[in-house]
Amino acid sequence: MTTAPQLLSIAGMSCAGCVRRVETALNEVPGVTSASVNFASQTAAVLGSSSLDSLLSAVAQAGYSAVLFQPESIREQEEAARSALHLAISRSGIALLGGALLMLDMHLGLLPGLERQLLWSGIGGLVLLVLLLAGGHFYVAAWTSLRHGTATMDSLISLGTGTAWLYSMLVVLMPELVPEASRHQFFEAALFVIGFVNLGKALETNARSRASVAIQKLFDLTPQYVTRLLNGAEEVVPLEIVQEGDELRVRPGEYLPVDGVVISGISSVDQSMLTGESEAVVVETGGAVCAGTLNIDSSVIVRAEAVGSETVLGGMIRLIAEAQNSKPPIADLVDRISSVFVPAVVGLALLTAALWWFFGPPPQLSFALVTAMSVLIIACPCALGLAIPMSIMVGLGRAANQGLLVRNSEALERAANIDLLVVDKTGTLTLGEPRVTAMRGLNDESLAIALALESQSEHPLARAIQEFCLGQSIVAADVAGFSNHPGGGVSASLGGETVALGNEVFLQSLGIKAFPETEGTVSYLVRGDQVVGYFVLEDQVRDDAARLVRELAVHGVDVVMLSGDRPEVAEQVANGVGIATFRGRCLPEDKLGYITEQQAQGRIVGMAGDGINDSAALACADIGFAMGGGTDIAKESADIILLEASLRGIKTGIDLSRSITRNIRQNLVAAFAYNLLLIPVAAGILYPFTGILVDPAVAGLAMALSSVTVVFNAGRLRFA
């Protein structure tokens, strides 16, 4: 049985290389099956049997810190984001102000020359103080990485700015050791780098927190306090003490705090924040309601059936948190590159310095120092680490807002490439709410047997027959040995003989040979070896089914219907919605076989269904879509759950997955192109043609802008 992963909050990560190291440390813990780290959300999802203490210890040994992930309220998240933004801007402002003053002196000559050692020693001390105040977190993280034998973005920044400060102090205190032409101070460059990097981090953190809060707002919809009924009296209590079975009063304008059943009252409920469906739903006594939906019209009393993390809303929060930490296959390549990126950059910086020192024009030392610092700073892999997780984080929030619950990010990448969609009929193309329109050959005794059989099945046809029998005031017979046959029907034993209810194919497998002439969707009742009668049922095709088929065809996706119903019924529905390829009397293994056959031909197959008989096909397909009103096993087998009872979610899911995949590629191209193009520029490749070198301060600004570009490009998905 699959267990839910443990979610951890990780502190101290600064780039994609950190992600790789934390993942490696967690995966090496005994009992860990898999570990996935999300740089954008600063979290890790760990699957396996290892203890929390061993996971936290492994992260600490890798040079980072971790605690068990605890969801925060929107207010707490916004306050934390606001504090982080103010701190980063303050750090940036201090450094940029100091750098600007020194830059102003370079152009206006306000300060004496470097020969005034005492004055410039004091200035150097002040610069060091500002560097520690504004960038101390970089140096601490770099030292921690060094002690653990690793290198990160913080290492590059620390090397670049530290070298600039040390060289400047050398020029101030012992100028005789430096060639006269190279006696320049780089205090302002060090300050500008720290200032620009902090500014980029501020913008990046702000955008990341907005994406996180946007997701949280979808689910932070339950009130802190509720009105509970106890012994006929009302009392206001905290939601966390409410238990299953408690009765709660929910007034107009209040959000439903629990999943439950209305036991008194009638009202309209807005489910849009949960399902994406804008039209309010009328609920009355006996109707089910979900936490997070809005009561509109009048007061109702609800009996709690699920609270907290056990609600549909709680499950969504957990699944989305897990999905954010999952990685599409392309992320493995990025992780492998990131693991060697920082050491490679340090090597490039040393090589650049050596080339300028031995082959560059005078003053060689100045050129070597400037280019090496620029390479170190401009190559920081922040953008690379953010490219994929930011797109996934924003994309999953967008999906949830449109009524789609995505189980993992791999599903997003696969859904973008679907070229064949296999659909079930009942409950998928149709509403899944069939009605018994006629019966033949059945008396009250037969109806009692039918009620006993169908009372133990979740199939839509079974529910229709059950409701019909109850409407006739029938009392269920006492049957034993009930057995469900997915895609076929149900059977049991009554008085030593077999009784069964289902379709013709299933009943033929039980040895039944003679069937009456029928039309439409029928369910035969068998007793012993004889058909005693049958029900005739009708289902209504979904209004948006035909439009979905047309829109998918335009986007290069073929639609095939596989139904367990009779061929003539399948043909009627298929023709009505414009599906050219269809099959009737399909058992679960037939659907499974068709999908594997198409996959063997190289097709990327999606499957949409809602019943137990669809679960194997949903699990086998490259991407499974489960209807929100379907069975639990179907939802567990699917990759994407359509919370709204509408097929348009399939088209939305495919379109959104393509947008997310395209956005990820854009981010990766931008991040890689940035490094591939600007590292040579920082190394001075254009100097022979332009006579210009990249100043380390400009390198810091460019590095910050690369991260901000990736973050804001991912933010565009909110409006996709």
Side-chain angles (χ1 to χ4, degrees):
M1 182 178 66
T2 302
T3 57
Q6 296 187 71
L7 294 178
L8 308 177
S9 293
I10 310 294
M13 295 191 300
S14 60
C15 65
C18 300
V19 172
R20 186 74 170 178
R21 276 181 283 281
V22 174
E23 281 185 351
T24 300
L26 289 171
N27 278 311
E28 289 176 351
V29 175
V32 170
T33 305
S34 66
S36 180
V37 177
N38 186 309
F39 180 50
S41 63
Q42 301 284 292
T43 57
V46 186
L47 192 61
S49 58
S50 55
S51 67
L52 176 62
D53 288 341
S54 62
L55 297 178
L56 300 184
S57 176
V59 174
Q61 290 175 12
Y64 305 88
S65 61
V67 294
L68 185 66
F69 174 77
Q70 296 291 343
E72 297 178 318
S73 68
I74 291 177
R75 181 177 299 177
E76 290 172 329
Q77 289 188 51
E78 289 179 334
E79 182 59 35
R82 193 159 38 246
S83 298
L85 180 62
H86 289 164
L87 177 60
I89 289 178
S90 299
R91 287 170 168 171
S92 175
I94 293 172
L96 291 178
L97 178 61
L101 291 175
L102 289 174
M103 180 70 75
L104 189 64
D105 167 65
M106 290 177 60
H107 290 285
L108 300 181
L110 301 177
L111 295 173
L114 293 177
E115 65 276 2
R116 299 284 294 273
Q117 287 185 325
L118 184 60
L119 174 66
W120 279 100
S121 296
I123 291 174
L126 288 174
V127 169
L128 178 61
L129 179 61
V130 173
L131 288 176
L132 294 176
L133 287 174
H137 51 297
F138 296 127
Y139 303 120
V140 170
W143 174 247
T144 302
S145 298
L146 181 62
R147 286 193 297 109
H148 289 84
T150 62
T152 66
M153 180 206 81
D154 301 303
S155 307
L156 299 182
I157 293 173
S158 299
L159 278 172
T161 57
T163 300
W165 185 85
L166 288 172
Y167 179 81
S168 300
M169 290 303 294
L170 178 66
V171 170
V172 169
L173 297 177
M174 291 179 283
E176 65 277 3
L177 298 180
V178 181
E180 186 174 352
S182 298
R183 293 173 186 173
H184 309 293
Q185 57 85 11
F186 293 98
F187 290 137
E188 86 291 339
L191 291 172
F192 273 131
V193 168
I194 293 295
F196 285 134
V197 173
N198 272 317
L199 182 60
K201 283 289 181 184
L203 297 174
E204 169 196 316
T205 302
N206 187 50
R208 284 196 340 230
S209 65
R210 283 208 314 271
S212 179
V213 169
I215 293 174
Q216 183 68 20
K217 282 183 178 178
L218 295 173
F219 310 120
D220 198 10
L221 300 172
T222 52
Q224 291 184 323
Y225 295 91
V226 297
T227 303
R228 183 172 64 179
L229 302 180
L230 189 63
N231 299 324
E234 295 185 0
E235 58 176 351
V236 177
V237 298
L239 176 59
E240 55 262 27
I241 73 169
V242 172
Q243 299 179 348
E244 183 180 341
D246 285 351
E247 296 181 1
L248 309 174
R249 180 179 295 281
V250 184
R251 296 180 172 83
E254 294 181 345
Y255 285 98
L256 273 297
V258 297
D259 287 359
V261 174
V262 176
I263 59 176
S264 177
I266 179 171
S267 185
S268 296
V269 174
D270 179 0
Q271 300 180 336
S272 59
M273 292 301 287
L274 191 62
T275 68
E277 174 58 64
S278 58
E279 186 175 345
V281 176
V282 176
V283 295
E284 52 189 339
T285 302
V289 291
C290 291
T293 57
L294 177 65
N295 183 28
I296 298 175
D297 295 329
S298 58
S299 178
V300 292
I301 297 176
V302 175
R303 183 177 64 247
E305 294 193 337
V307 297
S309 62
E310 301 303 316
T311 62
V312 171
L313 188 61
M316 289 173 62
I317 295 172
R318 184 176 61 254
L319 282 177
I320 288 186
E322 294 170 9
Q324 283 182 347
N325 282 83
S326 63
K327 294 186 177 183
I330 195 173
D332 292 333
L333 172 63
V334 175
D335 287 346
R336 287 196 297 272
I337 294 173
S338 300
S339 64
V340 298
F341 190 84
V342 172
V345 168
V346 174
L348 282 173
L350 293 174
L351 177 61
T352 298
L355 290 174
W356 280 97
W357 176 266
F358 291 108
F359 304 107
Q364 289 93 339
L365 181 59
S366 294
F367 281 122
L369 187 65
V370 169
T371 53
M373 285 192 299
S374 295
V375 168
L376 286 171
I377 293 163
I378 211 166
C380 289
C382 301
L384 201 58
L386 290 168
I388 294 176
M390 276 304 301
S391 295
I392 290 173
M393 178 184 289
V394 178
L396 288 175
R398 178 69 172 167
N401 195 34
Q402 296 188 342
L404 304 176
L405 184 55
V406 182
R407 287 188 171 277
N408 58 72
S409 59
E410 290 183 29
L412 293 173
E413 190 169 344
R414 293 195 302 266
N417 300 314
I418 284 178
D419 59 11
L420 174 64
L421 178 67
V422 176
V423 296
D424 177 43
K425 179 181 72 70
T426 304
T428 305
L429 285 177
T430 65
L431 292 175
E433 299 173 359
R435 297 176 296 108
V436 174
T437 57
M439 67 175 184
R440 301 287 185 268
L442 302 173
N443 54 28
D444 285 355
E445 182 182 3
S446 300
L447 292 178
I449 297 172
L451 178 59
L453 290 169
E454 302 293 48
S455 294
Q456 302 184 63
S457 173
E458 292 188 47
H459 196 278
L461 295 179
R463 290 196 295 269
I465 293 173
Q466 181 183 355
E467 290 174 4
F468 176 81
C469 294
L470 292 173
Q472 305 294 316
S473 300
I474 299 298
V475 177
D478 187 13
V479 299
F482 174 83
S483 181
N484 185 29
H485 306 268
V490 292
S491 64
S493 176
L494 177 66
E497 63 179 350
T498 298
V499 289
L501 189 63
N503 60 36
E504 187 174 330
V505 174
F506 160 60
L507 296 175
Q508 284 175 342
S509 70
L510 298 181
I512 309 301
K513 296 185 172 137
F515 294 88
E517 292 284 337
T518 61
E519 290 185 3
T521 301
V522 297
S523 191
Y524 300 96
L525 178 65
V526 167
R527 187 167 185 174
D529 58 358
Q530 297 292 323
V531 174
V532 298
Y534 60 88
F535 297 93
V536 180
L537 303 100
E538 288 184 2
D539 198 358
Q540 182 179 346
V541 177
R542 293 183 185 273
D543 293 336
D544 53 0
R547 185 172 69 252
L548 170 73
V549 173
R550 290 194 303 270
E551 291 178 349
L552 289 177
V554 171
H555 286 78
V557 181
D558 298 327
V559 181
V560 172
M561 184 182 77
L562 303 181
S563 173
D565 214 333
R566 300 168 63 179
E568 58 268 27
V569 177
E571 181 178 11
Q572 180 182 2
V573 173
N575 290 339
V577 300
I579 295 177
T581 305
F582 61 89
R583 294 182 185 178
R585 287 192 174 134
C586 285
L587 297 173
E589 52 266 33
D590 297 325
K591 297 180 181 181
L592 190 62
Y594 181 84
I595 290 174
T596 55
E597 174 188 315
Q598 295 299 313
Q599 289 172 325
Q601 296 176 18
R603 305 203 71 175
I604 307 299
V605 184
M607 169 69 193
D610 75 319
I612 294 175
N613 58 320
D614 298 319
S615 57
L618 286 168
C620 172
D622 295 290
I623 181 76
F625 298 91
M627 306 302 291
T631 59
D632 289 340
I633 191 171
K635 294 177 187 177
E636 288 296 325
S637 303
D639 300 291
I640 297 178
I641 300 172
L642 311 181
L643 298 175
E644 179 188 355
S646 171
L647 285 171
R648 69 184 180 189
I650 297 176
K651 174 67 166 47
T652 301
I654 293 175
D655 287 345
L656 187 58
S657 69
R658 290 177 175 175
S659 296
I660 293 172
T661 302
R662 185 166 55 248
N663 193 271
I664 287 174
R665 288 172 180 159
Q666 291 168 350
N667 281 347
L668 288 176
V669 167
F672 278 115
Y674 163 84
N675 283 306
L676 290 175
L677 292 175
L678 292 188
I679 288 178
V681 172
I685 195 171
L686 297 180
Y687 181 80
F689 312 103
T690 64
I692 298 175
L693 289 179
V694 175
D695 187 273
V698 176
L701 177 61
M703 188 271 286
L705 289 177
S706 69
S707 297
V708 173
T709 299
V710 165
V711 168
F712 280 96
N713 184 56
R716 293 189 306 110
L717 286 171
R718 290 200 298 271
F719 314 104

